[in-house]
Amino acid sequence: MKIGIVCYPTFGGSGVVATELGKALAEKGHQVHFITYHQPVRLDSFSENISYHEVTVADYPLFEYAPYETALTSKLVDVALFEGLDILHVHYAIPHAHVAYMAQQILKDLGKFIPFVTTLHGTDITLVGRDSGFAPVVSFAINHSDAVTAVSQNLCDETYSFFKISKKIEVIPNFIDLKRFSKHRKDHFRKAIAPNHEKLVVHASNFRKVKRVEDVVAVFHKINKEIPSKLLLIGDGPERHTIERTCRECGDCADVRFLGKQEAVEEILSVCDLFILPSETESFGLAALEAMACQVPVISSNTGGIPELNIQGVTGFLSNVGDVDDMAKNAIYILSDEKRLTQFKENALEQAKKFDINMITPIYENLYKRVIEKGIGN
Ligand code: GMT
């Protein structure tokens, strides 16, 4: 198949899922065309089956806001026509779903039908999408997609309960490439960070408010009082300065390392003992799945789709949003006993195997085939 993929090219979960899916499809012989404004960060190696089409927006003095959506629509029309795409797969509804709809209408006028699949990832439904400035467009675009998928049952339920949706939404969870995300031997790295055999606690996110990184620091502070530990913070974003200030105030600076945006996340995760994900809302929690694949148990909130991934008392523990005392208590329970910690690590890996990319890619392929076969006017 010739597949066009539209996504955000950044470190965010939706961009990572879109890129890893595209790479897996290309490996299976499909022609994959990424269409976005930057080369996706995970598109880091050459493949003869992958092309990247950059969207550039013409500058004009009249534009206070550059019309990215117009430029993206035109690019989709161009790529669909000249590369002969069979299907478009857009990740994150805003603005990609209604842009795909518009491109589809233009192409129809030009005598070409192209179906599009929309994958809902999380904040496009649970946060941003609910803004009254976006909601009518989001529900229209979902209802006019040829197929819609959500990354967890919870996100699917949330979509039906907030928007007026007449379309069937299929649940296709996030997935993991276990060849890349596995425990690497990085003993020298661990020794450098934790020279006195401290436990290593880790968090990775885009440091947005929704991630509640302040809770990570509060939980770590409590753990560190009982068990000598170090905290590794991967990623960057708007809350970072506030978090740095909090660390200084509670005197944890020497034990907290801000690593910034990292590409080889799996190498860092490989030396860690516990992952903390206290999000306010989280449709799936790809970062936690990546940690689990590297044998890191998870202390998380019990919100959104996280309970579909993190199993209470097996792969980690779940607490109410903001309950840092309970999170710290559970973390100390896991970290205080070597045998128990090893068991949780093994369980985390077993659970991660259920989300192997090799099982998920064929589900998307079948969906594409069904949608293409249904053709015009489905
Ligand atoms: O986590 C983020 O804020 C980034 C966001 C995105 O769309 O880039 O991630 C969402 O999609 C991921 C991939 O499907 C999910 O694993 C994340 O749980 C989800 N984030 C939220 O729901 C907050």
Side-chain angles (χ1 to χ4, degrees):
M1 280 178 273
K2 291 185 179 178
I3 305 155
I5 293 184
V6 180
C7 64
Y8 284 104
T10 56
F11 280 92
S14 60
V16 169
V17 166
T19 312
E20 295 295 345
L21 175 62
K23 281 157 61 176
L25 290 163
E27 247 178 62
K28 295 184 89 175
H30 300 289
Q31 297 279 317
V32 177
H33 296 264
F34 285 97
I35 306 143
T36 181
Y37 58 85
H38 271 309
Q39 170 121 349
V41 283
R42 286 272 180 104
L43 198 55
D44 44 13
S45 56
F46 171 77
S47 159
E48 56 180 338
N49 289 335
I50 295 181
S51 308
Y52 161 58
H53 307 265
E54 187 155 302
V55 180
T56 48
V57 188
D59 200 11
Y60 188 67
L62 181 67
F63 299 152
E64 194 172 336
Y65 303 103
Y68 175 66
E69 294 165 44
T70 309
L72 177 59
T73 309
S74 297
K75 185 61 101 180
L76 291 186
V77 169
D78 184 71
V79 176
L81 280 178
F82 294 100
E83 300 290 349
L85 296 186
D86 299 307
I87 190 159
L88 273 175
H89 186 173
V90 302
H91 293 260
Y92 204 90
I94 307 166
H96 301 143
H98 73 269
V99 165
Y101 173 77
M102 187 66 192
Q104 185 181 60
Q105 296 308 305
I106 296 171
L107 285 160
K108 217 187 245 176
D109 253 17
L110 298 172
K112 179 178 171 75
F113 173 73
I114 183 158
F116 72 95
V117 175
T118 299
T119 291
L120 309 173
H121 280 274
T123 49
D124 46 353
I125 295 300
T126 57
L127 224 61
V128 204
R130 292 180 182 208
D131 187 302
S132 58
F134 295 124
V137 178
V138 172
S139 58
F140 176 90
I142 292 174
N143 281 325
H144 286 79
S145 300
D146 295 281
V148 185
T149 76
V151 298
S152 65
Q153 186 57 51
N154 176 269
L155 184 61
C156 174
D157 297 344
E158 285 281 322
T159 311
Y160 281 124
S161 75
F162 189 83
F163 297 96
K164 213 164 177 271
I165 300 297
S166 54
K167 205 91 202 166
K168 179 172 183 273
I169 301 175
E170 295 187 34
V171 175
I172 307 181
N174 284 178
F175 49 78
I176 190 85
D177 178 357
L178 291 160
K179 282 206 301 280
R180 172 173 176 179
F181 283 87
S182 61
K183 199 169 177 66
H184 297 239
R185 284 208 67 100
K186 291 278 165 194
D187 298 345
H188 61 287
F189 179 46
R190 182 166 183 130
K191 221 169 166 194
I193 295 180
N196 301 311
H197 307 286
E198 294 91 341
K199 292 289 179 236
L200 282 183
V201 178
V202 64
H203 167 81
S205 76
N206 49 23
F207 282 61
R208 299 216 174 107
K209 270 208 176 321
V210 68
K211 300 292 175 182
R212 295 186 67 100
V213 188
E214 68 279 12
D215 287 0
V216 176
V217 175
V219 172
F220 173 73
H221 187 67
K222 289 174 192 290
I223 298 172
N224 203 15
K225 274 191 189 160
E226 303 269 328
I227 301 172
S229 306
K230 300 280 181 188
L231 174 63
L232 303 181
L233 292 169
I234 305 171
D236 211 331
E239 291 301 298
R240 172 158 172 184
H241 288 302
T242 316
I243 302 303
E244 280 175 336
R245 210 177 322 123
T246 312
C247 289
R248 283 176 209 140
E249 278 163 15
C250 59
D252 277 337
C253 274
D255 295 323
V256 182
R257 297 277 288 264
F258 287 83
L259 302 180
K261 290 178 182 169
Q262 293 283 334
E263 280 178 24
V265 190
E266 66 281 11
E267 294 185 3
I268 303 164
L269 292 171
S270 286
V271 299
C272 292
D273 299 299
L274 204 60
F275 188 89
I276 306 188
L277 187 70
S279 308
E280 183 82 39
T281 158
E282 194 72 59
S283 69
F284 182 90
L286 179 63
L289 174 58
E290 292 180 343
M292 288 161 74
C294 296
Q295 302 188 30
V296 186
V298 175
I299 292 294
S300 68
S301 50
N302 54 13
T303 185
I306 302 179
E308 296 170 45
L309 172 69
N310 189 19
I311 311 300
Q312 179 79 350
V314 179
T315 60
F317 286 97
L318 302 96
S319 310
N320 291 332
V321 173
D323 192 346
V324 292
D325 288 337
D326 193 54
M327 291 180 196
K329 185 191 84 197
N330 293 331
I332 292 165
Y333 173 77
I334 296 179
L335 293 174
S336 58
D337 182 308
E338 266 325 302
K339 235 173 117 188
R340 190 183 294 143
L341 176 60
T342 306
Q343 186 62 61
F344 270 89
K345 286 183 173 185
E346 284 169 10
N347 296 349
L349 174 59
E350 282 315 303
Q351 173 71 350
K353 285 180 186 167
K354 295 182 186 155
F355 300 91
D356 186 341
I357 190 169
N358 295 314
M359 292 184 320
I360 304 295
T361 315
I363 303 177
Y364 279 114
E365 282 178 294
N366 286 336
L367 174 66
Y368 297 162
K369 275 186 212 144
R370 272 190 279 131
V371 169
I372 292 169
E373 273 161 23
K374 244 181 163 184
I376 308 173
N378 57 8

